[in-house]
Amino acid sequence: MNGILLQLFQDTLVVLIAPLLLGWVNQCRAWLQNRSGPGVLRPYLNMVKLFHKDAVLAHNASPMFRFHPYILFACMWLAASLVPVIATDLPLSPAVDVIALVGIFALARVFVSLAAMDIGTSFGTLGARREMLVGFLAEPALLMVFFTAAAISHSTSLTTIVETLAHKQFIIHPSLAFAAVAFIMVLLAENARIPVDNPSTHLELTMIHEAMILEYSARHLALIEWASALKLLAFTTIGFALFMPWGIAEAGNWGALPLALAALFIKLTVAGAGLALLETISAKMRIFRVPEFMGTAFLLAVLGLLVHFLHGN
């Protein structure tokens, strides 16, 4: 019963703090650009405003277009809930396989692209094609990053990876350095961040994610924005589990949960500020340069895997 309650607590925690992480990133970016910023609570206020509006749908919208926001939100919530955020002995821990996580993200991408093309607008089709291009290049790099950590822990279970890297003898793994850089590049691409995409732009030549949701409004748009925040949180916590697992409570150590919560918020604060800094000092690249960017991420991930097999660490 304690495990079920803790799982429910983590599920509630991730869905509530996801917009807060997004608001913190936006606020830090505003401070770095010498602006006052909208405040860290702005995503919550935007979603409340959208939930109180009436949805407007195109006459030729199919059920796919209507159901897509709910499917996307469920997929992102599931992915964020599976990651060991505060403890490793949760009831859903046996299901936390890194390949399954990639499959959940891929499933969400398929529904996003199909819904974007459903209405038949040029913007939606353009965004869907670019989204599939980015996903086609990002998924192999993400798998190579996971395989590097899996080779170290001899398991594809994210829970086992955390227990191996955080709760065993401290060992420096040079292979994880290459994997960490590759993972950051994949995180930027998957979450439509600079330099791959600009989440605040509405220019036809640059936008990817925004082009696919231009036809949504009200509660549908709120769920999509909430799902985007959950995806950013999911990737961030996956990065913590792979490269900074310290602070996550060990199986059965209930007394370490307060420390795990404190460590989580500290790491999210630092990661959000670092992401804002990275976006501030970077420029949006042309869409034709994205394959080179993702190819570099894949090569770095493969290098990390080769370093592990050649040197044993």
Side-chain angles (χ1 to χ4, degrees):
M1 180 60 65
N2 290 334
I4 295 176
L5 292 176
L6 185 58
Q7 182 69 67
L8 293 176
F9 173 74
Q10 176 174 302
D11 296 347
T12 306
L13 178 68
V14 296
V15 78
L16 291 180
I17 67 173
L20 184 63
L21 174 62
L22 183 61
W24 170 245
V25 172
N26 295 336
Q27 182 65 39
C28 290
R29 188 169 57 180
W31 285 339
L32 292 171
Q33 296 172 356
N34 293 324
R35 296 186 288 110
S36 59
V40 296
L41 299 180
R42 175 49 56 185
Y44 295 102
L45 301 177
N46 290 340
M47 287 189 294
V48 170
K49 179 178 65 175
L50 290 173
F51 275 119
H52 283 84
K53 291 186 176 183
D54 294 330
V56 178
L57 297 174
H59 294 291
N60 60 337
S62 70
M64 168 69 70
F65 187 83
R66 295 179 174 88
F67 296 150
H68 152 250
Y70 303 96
I71 297 174
L72 177 63
F73 180 80
C75 288
M76 293 302 104
W77 192 1
L78 176 62
S81 301
L82 289 177
V83 181
V85 176
I86 55 177
T88 59
D89 58 340
L90 301 179
L92 293 181
S93 295
V96 190
D97 189 90
V98 292
I99 301 177
L101 283 175
V102 176
I104 293 174
F105 291 129
L107 177 65
R109 179 178 294 107
V110 169
F111 278 98
V112 168
S113 302
L114 290 177
M117 295 184 293
D118 183 75
I119 301 298
T121 60
S122 58
F123 277 113
T125 305
L126 178 67
R129 293 179 63 182
R130 291 177 175 178
E131 175 69 17
M132 295 305 294
L133 171 65
V134 173
F136 170 75
L137 298 171
E139 287 174 3
L142 183 60
L143 283 172
M144 289 298 104
V145 171
F146 284 149
F147 289 160
T148 301
I152 294 174
S153 60
H154 304 288
S155 173
T156 58
S157 172
L158 196 56
T159 300
T160 304
I161 293 173
V162 171
E163 292 177 346
T164 301
L165 297 179
H167 304 139
K168 297 297 192 303
Q169 182 181 2
F170 178 76
I171 300 176
I172 297 177
H173 299 278
S175 57
L176 290 181
F178 293 97
V181 178
F183 181 80
I184 293 175
M185 299 172 73
V186 172
L187 182 148
L188 295 174
E190 287 278 15
N191 290 275
R193 314 299 299 191
I194 297 174
V196 177
D197 190 16
N198 188 350
S200 60
T201 186
H202 284 84
L203 297 177
E204 178 183 0
L205 296 177
T206 59
M207 62 181 177
I208 300 176
H209 175 263
E210 291 294 324
M212 298 187 293
I213 63 174
L214 288 177
E215 300 298 323
Y216 283 100
S217 61
R219 62 184 182 276
H220 298 140
L221 182 58
L223 286 174
I224 292 175
E225 296 294 345
W226 203 346
S228 299
L230 279 168
K231 186 176 183 180
L232 178 61
L233 178 66
F235 269 88
T236 305
T237 52
I238 289 173
F240 295 158
L242 293 178
F243 310 110
M244 293 187 296
W246 309 285
I248 300 176
E250 194 174 3
N253 189 4
W254 298 95
L257 290 180
L259 179 61
L261 284 173
L264 173 64
F265 281 100
I266 291 174
K267 288 188 286 189
L268 286 177
T269 301
V270 175
L275 178 59
L277 177 62
L278 186 60
E279 288 189 307
T280 302
I281 63 177
S282 302
K284 170 71 174 65
M285 67 173 60
R286 298 176 60 192
I287 188 66
F288 302 108
R289 301 295 300 275
V290 172
E292 299 177 10
F293 182 81
M294 299 313 303
T296 303
F298 178 77
L299 289 177
L300 288 173
V302 172
L303 279 176
L305 193 61
L306 291 177
V307 167
H308 170 74
F309 284 121
L310 292 176
H311 297 278
N313 55 7

